[in-house]
Amino acid sequence: MTLLGAFARRFAVFLGTALVASVVIFVIVQALPGDVAQATLGLGATPDAVEALRQKWGLDRPLLVRYGEWLLGMLHGDFGASYLTGQSVSGQIAPRLAITGWLVALSIPLSTLVAVPLGLVAAMMRRRGLGAIVNGASHIGLAIPVFFAGAVLVIVFSVILGWLPANSYASLMTKGFSDWARHMVLPVASLVIVQSCLLVRYVRAGFIDVLTEDYYRTARSVGWTKWAGLVRHGLRNMATSLVTVLGMQTASLLVGAILVERVFVLPGLGSLLIDSVLNRDLMTVQGVGMLLVFAVLAINFVVDLLYFAIDPRLRRQVRA
Amino acid sequence: MKRFTVLFGLVLAGIVALSALVSLVWTPYNPNLVSSSRYSPPSWTHILGTDRLGMDTFSRIMTGAQTTLVVGILAVAIAALIGVPLGIIAGMGRKVAGELIGRASDVLFALPTLLLAVLLAAAKGASVTTATVAIGIATIPVFQRMARAATLTIMSQDYVLAAEVSGTPRSMIALRHVLPNIAPLLGVQAAASFSMAILAEAGLSYLGLSASPTTPTWGRMLRDANLFAAPLQAIIPGAAIALAVLGFNLLGDGVRDYLDPRLQEVR
Amino acid sequence: MSVYTIDHVSRRFGSRRRSTQALNDVTLSVKEHERWGIVGESGSGKTTLLKILAGLDSPSEGKVLFMGKCLDIRDRATLGDLRSSVQMVFQDPRSSLDPRMRVGDIISEPLRSPLVKGKVPADADARVAEVLDAVGLPADSQRLFAHEFSGGQRQRIALARALAPNPSILLADEPVSALDVSVRAHVLNLIDDLVDSMGLTLIMVTHDLAVVRHTCDHVGVLYQGTLVEAGPTAEVLNNPREEYTRTLLASTRLGHA
Amino acid sequence: MSVLDVKDLSVDFGHHRNLVLDKVSLAVDDGQRLGLVGASGSGKTVLASAIMGLLPDNAHISGEILFRGTNLASLGDREFSKIRGRKLSMVFQEPMTALDPTMKVGLQAAELISLHRDSNPMATRDRVEQVFDRVGLSDAGKVTNAYPHELSGGQRQRVIIAMALMNRPALVICDEPTTALDATVQTQVLDVLDSELAASGAACLFISHDLNLVARMCNEVAVIHAGRIVERGTTEDVLNSPRHPYTRGLLATARIDQVEPGERLPVIEDFYTPDDRDNAGRHTELPRRWVSQYGPRQWRRSR
């Protein structure tokens, strides 16, 4: 199998998983409630009213047809229309995409940048003060829910110090960079704090593994000092496990972004999702849910490709 | 040092369990009793103060421990009871079965806990039950993968071959050799997943996707707190969540270090 | 009579497009009470061959006759016959003894099998004590766990387990290569003695010609999955016909002797 | 003059301070090859790690390790790193894991040069290919561009030997350099090691559990047992007239080929007289762990 073939195979798996996920989402939202129209109108509604609504939304047609329509629509970027307001779901999603996107896109690299050096120190100095402090701090940080971290940041920097805004969003396009940045600092910081504490634990464990490896001993025997050898020969080997964690964490990072949007009242995808659940706007829930799952799968697909860049053994397995 | 952290974890977890148990029979006030003293600071009458409706925060924190523990235990039980057998089958059984389970697990893994909870809440209405089920189901792949990996390690050991040469049936190998040998790892995973479940439930409560407003939960208390008027009322439930999670994490780490002699650092 | 008749056996691993040939057209016959040593380096397919004989794997091509009957591991009856008379000892006793079982339970495992039938002793506890004594371990060992023993002792436990159901054939996969040189002699003496006193047929896989020369009366030489030479030990070692056998001999001290 | 002079070296580990080396003294002369023979757990690998300064953090060390007059035991990591790989190098037992899996072997070997002196890339590459060529890596240019997993065990061990010889060190420590290899490959690798050591004039501490190998490689041999050097002499003397019962036992058990087929193989206990036992019937010279190997009763052969 060629390298290209391996990519193609992974891409096929990615699309297949997305397809199955879309079925799961559709079934939970459309088939589980029993009757969507009844659920929307509440138990007190008259049968006639329910029936009228069913006709209006096309719910009287078979599930399979409705699923097919939904799927085909999504392929064209059309997520259907809200049952409640009649608004196009895609139209609601578009303006909110940027906010959630920024949160995730900023916090992944930033938390990695914070975690790698701290993890290195924690691994190398684990019998000494600094390592123990980093280790202990990451333990505590791991236990803090992201919305609590956000709340504390608001209390300190907005309520007490009054330096930064506690809520609302300023678009990069319309309000300019500095205003945008002032509004993004605290949300991104709360995500990075929690995320990097988790990464530190994995980076530390990865480096400690390297310390016990034969090739690290070889590196030391040819004249690398403890620290330099670990950076030179450990970093790339540790990166494999780091990438795995990053892939596994994309889902929880998206969840974190949704929670952070709630704390800072940012009008992102998460806010849209939660609002539509509370209003039982099923079509919107379904659409946003699918988009999030697709994002998780896409990031995991990219992570899969990253392995090939890092680990030459994989490249050969594929070629052989 | 190590012993101290485990002890600390034990104390924290113990406090959570104790307040949950005690709150079943006694709390200083009825946790849902509305009073006129709103946002009162901590005092002898209200140890941790009161919230925006004048309800006693200490009583609500105590009662909140119930939901935290029950959701955590049930969610982990759901995940382990479904995930572990699937993982063992995937690790021991035919290739097709393993592949199928693996793919199904991948799909579930792409559905974040919160999204699953959101979908269930959209379909069935938000409640503790949907939250628990969602957390449980979302955790299945974690147990499945862990059990599968551990099973594969055990299956590569010669004692499994020896058992087969001894004429032991596959099902018996699973019960006699695989399960006992992966049990410690599963225990550690359960402890870690328990902390994760607590965090997830708190998140769902914070979004209003878990217990009804009349049931005090830590996440909802944080959601209802006004950061500008009474920041303390946000910090208290937040700290409760963090300390509970920290406690169970430390406990889990302690168990792992005890069980895995490799980590008793030779170096 | 022939215990095993290995008839043009090949074994391939992997998918059709990239397969590795572990065994290539191996033909060999093992008679009762013979002691065979199968010699080869890593990757020669010697362990694969042993696994096929133990019913842990099946050939891709060719067949194995066991006691005159075609060996099919999917057929419960023939597998039962095999399990009742063939036992195996593995290379590394650290890996072949379940760390969470007591020695008594480890040794009695074959006695509790639904497949093993016939000569199995009724009183399992008495049998465990008996085989422990036969391998030179005290009877109270059965309450302990495997990790409480040294490498040599663990290999004795593995031997005790193999002997428990009264097998007639003993398969051994590098039984001493994980052990220290000084312990090796103890275990080899023990195997030698047990095979003698219990009238076993022995098939031992090893990379060490010196061990084969000492313990086995027949030797087969495997090279990259092909059986290049087989016959009585003295004959093969004194007059090797194949180039590879000569290389192997030269790389051990036996070549100079 | 001795290149290495170990004086009263003791090493123990951890809180329990398990003694692994007990006042070991050992000297290697310039250009000399000394074999160090012992069973697993005898402390031979710990001795090698101690000399290289690669002991884990929880090891306690006492005594002196004089390398060309410098006490290595008292050097800091930075100063020691300047000696390692340049004047003092090591060949490890496990070629499969001793190289960084994510880096081409040529680059790993070139690091040895660039770490220790200024050298332009062209000269470095030439030197790497030259040494690779010398250790019998045919098509050295191709090998330098390979990742470790693309090479066979024998090739990897040649790479490691090339790395150990890269900077023309004064002493090479070989810790079971061929144990993990197949017999036929083992012979070739030993030949390369033999000729390259001779050509470079480096001294060598050759560690093995296999007396046969040591006899082939070394003119002098020391026997280590339970953390102590029990015997030292020329290879010929030790092999032909061993003085210590442990050495005698080791020699006998190592030579299966000298026992007639079917005869009982000698075991180490055979070489200990009753005088060597203490009151409880144990061999005084054997550590307790070692004695318990055989249980309370001796195995007797019935034949």
Side-chain angles (χ1 to χ4, degrees):
Chain A
M1 203 178 354
T2 60
L3 211 55
L4 203 67
F7 289 169
R9 204 185 96 89
R10 276 168 173 72
F11 190 64
V13 169
F14 156 54
L15 287 184
T17 314
L19 193 67
V20 177
S22 75
V23 175
V24 173
I25 290 175
F26 184 81
V27 167
I28 294 179
V29 175
Q30 300 270 347
L32 220 55
D35 193 302
V36 179
Q38 181 86 57
T40 311
L41 291 175
L43 287 173
T46 62
D48 285 350
V50 172
E51 194 49 41
L53 200 60
R54 284 171 63 88
Q55 298 241 330
K56 184 181 160 202
W57 290 350
L59 294 177
D60 47 350
R61 292 172 307 148
L63 273 176
L64 208 60
V65 175
R66 278 150 56 198
Y67 171 73
E69 269 179 16
W70 181 59
L71 189 66
L72 280 176
M74 280 196 299
L75 292 180
H76 297 102
D78 174 13
F79 285 72
S82 159
Y83 289 149
L84 289 182
T85 59
Q87 269 183 297
S88 140
V89 175
S90 322
Q92 295 185 73
I93 288 175
R96 296 158 176 265
L97 211 51
I99 298 174
T100 312
W102 275 124
L103 287 178
V104 175
L106 287 173
S107 53
I108 290 180
L110 283 177
S111 52
T112 311
L113 278 179
V114 172
V116 171
L118 287 180
L120 179 69
V121 168
M124 206 62 197
M125 304 180 66
R126 68 190 185 287
R127 287 170 185 284
R128 276 167 288 167
L130 192 55
I133 290 171
V134 172
N135 194 25
S138 74
H139 249 303
I140 293 169
L142 202 59
I144 294 177
V146 65
F147 51 90
F148 181 47
V152 171
L153 288 180
V154 168
I155 292 170
V156 174
F157 291 98
S158 308
V159 179
I160 299 176
L161 298 172
W163 290 353
L164 292 161
N167 48 40
S168 78
Y169 178 69
S171 161
L172 185 58
M173 296 297 176
T174 55
K175 300 276 174 102
F177 179 79
S178 74
D179 207 19
W180 169 81
R182 275 169 47 80
H183 283 87
M184 287 305 273
V185 169
L186 291 184
V188 171
S190 16
L191 277 175
V192 169
I193 288 172
V194 173
Q195 190 68 15
S196 55
C197 284
L198 182 99
L199 291 183
V200 163
R201 313 233 26 97
Y202 283 92
V203 172
R204 173 179 181 268
F207 275 128
I208 288 178
D209 278 351
V210 171
L211 287 175
T212 68
E213 293 284 353
D214 284 352
Y215 59 77
Y216 176 66
R217 189 184 54 180
T218 308
R220 297 260 285 125
S221 84
V222 305
W224 288 103
T225 59
K226 287 180 184 172
W227 286 86
L230 195 57
V231 172
R232 174 74 173 161
H233 289 278
L235 199 56
R236 207 199 285 239
N237 283 286
M238 190 278 305
T240 330
S241 51
L242 181 67
V243 165
T244 312
V245 186
L246 282 177
M248 287 194 327
Q249 284 304 311
T250 44
S252 74
L253 197 67
L254 266 175
V255 172
I258 292 173
L259 286 162
V260 162
E261 283 173 20
R262 211 61 188 173
V263 176
F264 294 93
V265 203
L266 302 176
L269 280 182
S271 302
L272 177 62
L273 185 67
I274 304 302
D275 289 341
S276 15
V277 172
L278 299 178
N279 299 331
R280 308 207 87 178
D281 184 352
L282 298 184
M283 211 57 194
T284 313
V285 169
Q286 198 174 302
V288 177
M290 190 58 223
L291 193 69
L292 293 180
V293 170
F294 193 79
V296 171
L297 288 172
I299 296 176
N300 269 300
F301 172 64
V302 173
V303 162
D304 250 9
L305 300 188
L306 270 183
Y307 279 125
F308 286 92
I310 296 171
D311 195 336
R313 281 167 294 188
L314 263 178
R315 288 202 289 268
R316 183 173 85 146
Q317 259 177 32
V318 167
R319 250 184 259 136
Chain B
M1 184 63 197
K2 201 125 244 179
R3 208 167 287 169
F4 170 76
T5 56
V6 176
L7 199 68
F8 186 54
L10 200 65
V11 169
L12 288 177
I15 291 175
V16 176
L18 198 68
S19 18
L21 284 177
V22 171
S23 69
L24 287 174
V25 289
W26 177 83
T27 48
Y29 296 84
N30 179 339
N32 286 321
L33 180 73
V34 178
S35 76
S36 55
S37 54
R38 291 177 187 166
Y39 290 137
S40 65
S43 65
W44 285 114
T45 40
H46 295 285
I47 300 175
L48 297 176
T50 58
D51 66 5
R52 67 193 164 118
L53 297 175
M55 300 192 277
D56 180 54
T57 303
F58 185 60
S59 305
R60 290 179 73 79
I61 290 281
M62 277 179 77
T63 316
Q66 289 175 18
T67 316
T68 301
L69 284 184
V70 170
V71 173
I73 291 169
L74 288 181
V76 170
I78 291 174
L81 286 178
I82 300 176
V84 171
L86 283 178
I88 294 180
I89 292 171
M92 284 185 78
R94 288 167 193 279
K95 221 177 152 188
V96 187
E99 189 78 3
L100 221 67
I101 293 172
R103 288 279 162 258
S105 174
D106 282 352
V107 174
L108 258 191
F109 207 75
L111 288 170
T113 317
L114 180 103
L115 188 60
L116 212 56
V118 163
L119 295 174
L120 281 178
K124 291 282 178 192
S127 68
V128 182
T129 317
T130 53
T132 310
V133 170
I135 298 170
I137 292 178
T139 314
I140 290 175
V142 176
F143 276 90
Q144 189 270 333
R145 285 174 182 200
M146 149 71 93
R148 176 175 171 274
T151 302
L152 285 177
T153 315
I154 301 300
M155 292 304 284
S156 71
Q157 299 287 313
D158 281 346
Y159 57 77
V160 172
L161 287 182
E164 215 169 317
V165 173
S166 301
T168 311
R170 302 282 282 182
S171 54
M172 208 55 214
I173 289 179
L175 287 178
R176 197 185 282 162
H177 297 289
V178 176
L179 200 56
N181 277 294
I182 68 172
L185 279 173
L186 294 176
V188 172
Q189 184 58 56
S193 295
F194 187 76
S195 312
M196 285 292 141
I198 293 178
L199 271 179
E201 194 281 331
L204 292 177
S205 287
Y206 181 78
L207 294 172
L209 295 173
S210 179
S212 64
T214 51
T215 316
T217 61
W218 297 344
R220 183 173 274 279
M221 288 169 75
L222 186 60
R223 165 195 170 92
D224 292 342
N226 185 328
L227 299 183
F228 294 88
L232 193 64
Q233 294 307 319
I235 290 176
I236 289 167
I241 300 167
L243 289 176
V245 173
L246 182 65
F248 287 106
N249 271 342
L250 291 179
L251 209 57
D253 280 5
V255 176
R256 187 191 56 204
D257 290 352
Y258 173 74
L259 291 171
D260 189 349
R262 256 183 338 131
L263 293 169
Q264 282 165 10
E265 311 203 9
V266 192
R267 264 161 199 270
Chain C
M1 71 172 282
S2 262
V3 179
Y4 278 112
T5 308
I6 303 162
D7 188 12
H8 297 287
V9 162
S10 297
R11 179 72 173 103
R12 273 191 307 276
F13 289 107
S15 62
R16 228 173 313 133
R17 265 196 289 169
R18 41 170 165 160
S19 67
T20 46
Q21 183 100 16
L23 284 177
N24 187 11
D25 200 20
V26 171
T27 298
L28 186 70
S29 171
V30 175
K31 297 199 173 52
E32 220 172 338
H33 303 308
E34 284 180 343
R35 300 160 156 221
W36 274 86
I38 308 289
V39 191
E41 303 188 315
S42 54
S44 63
K46 54 189 196 301
T47 299
T48 307
L49 180 62
L50 207 65
K51 278 190 176 170
I52 289 176
L53 298 184
L56 295 171
D57 195 4
S58 306
S60 318
E61 279 156 46
K63 60 179 188 286
V64 175
L65 300 183
F66 175 68
M67 299 290 188
K69 273 188 281 185
C70 187
L71 179 60
D72 177 6
I73 58 173
R74 277 160 306 180
D75 177 45
R76 214 178 144 79
T78 49
L79 191 62
D81 287 345
L82 188 79
R83 297 275 179 260
S84 308
S85 41
V86 177
Q87 284 295 319
M88 185 160 169
V89 179
F90 295 86
Q91 173 171 7
D92 187 351
R94 271 174 313 188
S95 149
S96 73
L97 306 176
D98 189 330
R100 295 194 178 266
M101 272 166 91
R102 290 180 194 280
V103 167
D105 293 330
I106 291 176
I107 296 177
S108 66
E109 184 161 32
L111 301 178
R112 289 178 281 159
S113 160
L115 277 171
V116 173
K117 57 197 174 208
K119 310 168 283 183
V120 171
D123 187 351
D125 287 347
R127 181 61 183 164
V128 170
E130 210 172 291
V131 288
L132 272 174
D133 186 59
V135 299
L137 288 173
D140 54 9
S141 312
Q142 41 178 309
R143 288 194 310 274
L144 303 176
F145 289 99
H147 65 82
E148 296 174 76
F149 294 85
S150 67
Q153 287 174 321
R154 286 185 216 182
Q155 203 57 304
R156 286 166 194 259
I157 296 170
L159 269 168
R161 166 175 58 196
L163 299 176
N166 252 326
S168 53
I169 298 133
L170 181 66
L171 306 177
D173 184 5
E174 301 261 17
V176 293
S177 64
L179 305 176
D180 251 353
V181 185
S182 50
V183 186
R184 199 169 64 171
H186 281 278
V187 174
L188 281 177
N189 280 337
L190 178 61
I191 290 179
D192 209 7
D193 199 54
L194 292 171
V195 168
D196 249 13
S197 60
M198 299 182 68
L200 301 176
T201 306
L202 175 72
I203 303 176
M204 177 161 76
V205 147
T206 175
H207 68 280
D208 192 343
L209 270 177
V211 169
V212 170
R213 173 181 169 274
H214 181 263
T215 312
C216 304
D217 47 31
H218 285 76
V219 61
V221 182
L222 269 177
Y223 177 60
Q224 294 181 355
T226 309
L227 190 69
V228 293
E229 191 157 3
T233 308
E235 224 170 86
V236 172
L237 296 194
N238 293 336
N239 301 302
R241 281 178 290 119
E242 291 295 322
E243 184 56 41
Y244 178 70
T245 316
R246 277 194 282 273
T247 324
L248 209 56
L249 271 168
S251 63
T252 63
R253 272 188 84 86
L254 293 174
H256 312 295
Chain D
M1 188 197 141
S2 52
V3 57
L4 178 75
D5 195 359
V6 177
K7 285 181 181 163
D8 286 337
L9 180 68
S10 295
V11 175
D12 58 75
F13 287 96
H15 291 298
H16 304 293
R17 312 208 63 151
N18 300 319
L19 198 63
V20 179
L21 289 182
D22 188 5
K23 298 212 162 160
V24 168
S25 294
L26 194 75
V28 183
D29 289 341
D30 261 331
Q32 186 195 21
R33 285 197 215 158
L34 175 67
L36 183 66
V37 182
S40 58
S42 61
K44 55 190 197 303
T45 298
V46 171
L47 178 59
S49 305
I51 297 169
M52 289 298 291
L54 296 177
L55 284 176
D57 290 343
N58 64 347
H60 310 279
I61 186 167
S62 71
E64 287 187 328
I65 305 168
L66 296 177
F67 178 76
R68 290 264 161 92
T70 317
N71 185 7
L72 297 180
S74 65
L75 280 188
D77 187 33
R78 191 166 290 275
E79 293 83 54
F80 208 149
S81 293
K82 288 176 188 155
I83 297 176
R84 270 190 226 116
R86 189 156 68 110
K87 296 175 185 161
L88 177 62
S89 65
M90 183 156 178
V91 176
F92 297 98
Q93 171 172 3
E94 202 33 85
M96 304 317 271
T97 51
L99 292 166
D100 185 344
T102 62
M103 200 182 274
K104 291 179 177 174
V105 296
L107 192 56
Q108 292 186 52
E111 272 184 356
L112 266 150
I113 299 171
S114 54
L115 257 176
H116 293 291
R117 66 182 113 93
D118 295 326
S119 168
N120 69 51
M122 286 298 283
T124 304
R125 210 184 64 198
D126 288 349
R127 170 71 182 155
V128 168
E129 286 190 10
Q130 178 202 343
V131 181
F132 273 24
D133 204 44
R134 287 198 65 108
V135 297
L137 287 163
S138 51
D139 205 352
K142 204 170 150 195
V143 173
T144 51
N145 273 318
Y147 287 100
H149 62 84
E150 295 169 328
L151 303 175
S152 70
Q155 283 175 311
R156 288 187 219 188
Q157 198 63 317
R158 284 168 200 263
V159 169
I160 291 167
I161 290 171
M163 284 168 65
L165 295 169
M166 193 65 70
N167 288 326
R168 300 183 184 87
L171 175 67
V172 182
I173 298 174
C174 301
D175 184 10
E176 305 261 10
T178 59
T179 309
L181 303 174
D182 277 334
T184 45
V185 182
Q186 188 170 353
T187 317
Q188 298 159 6
V189 170
L190 277 180
D191 284 342
V192 163
L193 190 61
D194 194 9
S195 62
E196 285 311 299
L197 279 174
S200 72
C204 175
L205 181 63
F206 188 92
I207 298 174
S208 179
H209 70 280
D210 191 339
L211 268 172
N212 302 328
L213 289 188
V214 172
R216 182 177 156 175
M217 294 292 292
C218 305
N219 35 22
E220 256 196 75
V221 59
V223 180
I224 186 169
H225 173 53
R228 290 182 203 162
I229 305 282
V230 295
E231 184 155 2
R232 164 148 194 193
T234 64
T235 310
E236 210 175 272
D237 282 352
V238 172
L239 253 56
N240 293 333
S241 49
R243 278 168 292 131
H244 196 276
Y246 178 78
T247 318
R248 267 178 264 154
L250 204 60
L251 269 169
T253 51
R255 298 300 305 272
I256 296 186
D257 56 302
Q258 290 185 338
V259 182
E260 277 303 301
E263 286 298 301
R264 175 185 177 278
L265 293 170
V267 297
I268 292 214
E269 283 83 341
D270 297 346
F271 298 87
Y272 279 81
T273 59
D275 302 346
D276 298 328
R277 294 160 188 254
D278 67 9
N279 300 335
R282 286 189 302 260
H283 307 296
T284 45
E285 298 223 7
L286 304 180
R288 185 157 307 167
R289 184 176 61 76
W290 203 76
V291 174
S292 68
Q293 191 122 42
Y294 309 99
R297 51 169 271 196
Q298 282 272 310
W299 173 252
R300 292 262 173 267
R301 192 175 158 88
S302 51
R303 196 191 279 181

